[in-house]
Amino acid sequence: MPNVKRLIHVSALNSSPQPEPHFISGGSNFLKTKYYGELAVREEFPEATIIRPAWMYGVVDRFLWYYCQFYRRSFRKLAVPNGGYGITKTPVCMTDVAAGIVNAISDEESVGRTYDAVGPRRYELRELLEFMQELINKVPENGGFRVTNIRWDPIFRTRVTLYSYLSKFIYRDPKVSWEKIEREAISDEKPLNPTLQDLGVRLQYIEDLWPDMLSVWIHEGAYSGDTGEKKIYSNPPYILDH
C-alpha cells in the first residue's frame, strides 16, 4: 500500500490462535480471526499500529445494553458463565479508544506497535453485573434479577442455542449466541503491550460514567429524586489498577 501513510488496525484483546475453550469446541472463532487478522495486517503493512480493545462500553452500546435487554435475561435471572465468579474484565470506554486511535495517527512512536486498550481497573464479572443491577434498580431485593450460573438455566441455554442456529440463516449478528457467551467466559489478559495511557489518553472510570449511561434502564425511573437529592451507589470492588 504505497500511498497509505498510516494504518490503524482495530483488533481485540485476548486474540489468540488457540483460545481456551469453555462452551465452544476449539474456543472462540471471533478471537481466532482477530489473531490471524493481526498477522495479515503486519505482513502487508509492518508499520501499522494495532489497537486491541477490551470490552468497550458507551451510550447505546453492545456491553451495557447487551446485559440490560430482555433477550439476555430470563425469569428474573441473569445467567453468565460460572455465575461471573473468577472471570475478570477490564472494560474500557469507547471514547477513550477513539482518542487513542486519533492520537496514534500523529504519534511517530506508535508506528509498528501494538497497544492493549484496557480500562484503568480490573473487575470480577459478577461485581460488574451486580453494580449494573444496582444502577438500574433491578436488584433481587426489589424483585429484580439474580446473577446466576448459566449451567443452571436450561431455558436460557435453549434460547442461546436457537439464536446461534438461526444466525446461519436469518441473524448475521444474533442478540445472544454461544460465541458471545464463550467470550464472556474468558478473563481479560493482563496488558503485555503499551496501553492507551502510553498514547496520552486519560482513562475514564466506570463508576463515573455508568450511572448516566444506564439511566434509561432504571426501573420506575420517572422519579429522579428531589432537587439536590443524589443517590449514592456502592462502587464495585476492583482487583487492581493498571
Side-chain angles (χ1 to χ4, degrees):
M1 293 182 285
N3 296 322
V4 178
K5 296 182 179 179
R6 295 286 285 114
L7 175 63
I8 312 295
H9 174 69
V10 179
S11 181
L13 196 70
N14 300 323
S15 61
S16 169
Q18 294 180 318
E20 180 183 358
H22 295 272
F23 295 91
I24 298 177
S25 177
S28 168
N29 291 317
F30 174 90
L31 295 178
K32 291 178 186 177
T33 59
K34 291 299 182 180
Y35 172 83
Y36 288 110
E38 291 179 19
L39 293 184
V41 168
R42 281 277 181 250
E43 182 176 352
E44 294 296 327
F45 202 94
E47 298 83 8
T49 298
I50 296 176
I51 308 289
R52 305 170 71 240
W55 280 3
M56 292 188 287
Y57 63 85
V59 178
V60 193
D61 64 356
R62 295 193 179 185
F63 177 34
L64 299 179
W65 282 49
Y66 167 69
Y67 282 112
C68 290
Q69 296 278 11
F70 73 93
Y71 51 74
R72 189 59 186 79
R73 300 162 177 262
S74 66
F75 297 97
R76 300 199 180 282
K77 291 184 289 185
L78 178 55
V80 294
N82 202 39
Y85 290 115
I87 302 170
T88 60
K89 300 291 184 180
T90 53
V92 60
C93 185
M94 60 177 62
T95 58
D96 289 346
V97 177
I101 293 173
V102 171
N103 291 352
I105 295 174
S106 57
D107 186 345
E108 292 301 323
E109 292 187 2
S110 72
V111 174
R113 303 183 76 177
T114 297
Y115 291 84
D116 292 336
V118 298
R121 290 173 175 168
R122 178 178 295 271
Y123 305 84
E124 187 175 52
L125 177 59
R126 188 180 184 90
E127 298 288 357
L128 288 176
L129 297 179
E130 290 185 341
F131 180 51
M132 192 182 303
Q133 297 296 96
E134 182 182 1
L135 291 175
I136 64 176
N137 196 29
K138 290 187 178 180
V139 294
E141 293 80 1
N142 294 343
F145 294 82
R146 293 183 297 107
V147 181
T148 63
N149 193 323
I150 193 173
R151 298 190 184 277
W152 304 337
D153 193 339
I155 295 177
F156 179 69
R157 294 203 309 272
T158 300
R159 181 189 301 170
V160 175
T161 299
L162 177 61
Y163 270 94
S164 298
Y165 175 75
L166 291 177
S167 68
K168 301 177 182 179
F169 309 101
I170 302 175
Y171 302 110
R172 295 184 61 185
D173 184 19
K175 302 298 184 181
V176 291
S177 67
W178 284 116
E179 173 61 45
K180 290 185 178 180
I181 299 298
E182 180 72 20
R183 299 203 301 274
E184 286 183 39
I186 299 174
S187 290
D188 285 349
E189 60 189 28
K190 295 181 179 180
L192 298 176
N193 300 300
T195 66
L196 293 175
Q197 290 171 305
D198 295 294
L199 288 171
V201 178
R202 184 176 180 180
L203 298 176
Q204 303 174 85
Y205 294 92
I206 67 170
E207 295 85 351
D208 299 327
L209 300 179
W210 283 17
D212 286 337
M213 290 180 174
L214 286 168
S215 60
V216 69
W217 290 100
I218 297 176
H219 178 59
E220 298 182 346
Y223 171 71
S224 59
D226 296 329
T227 302
E229 181 180 341
K230 182 177 181 181
K231 185 174 181 179
I232 304 300
Y233 298 100
S234 301
N235 290 335
Y238 58 91
I239 297 172
L240 54 84
D241 282 311
H242 288 302

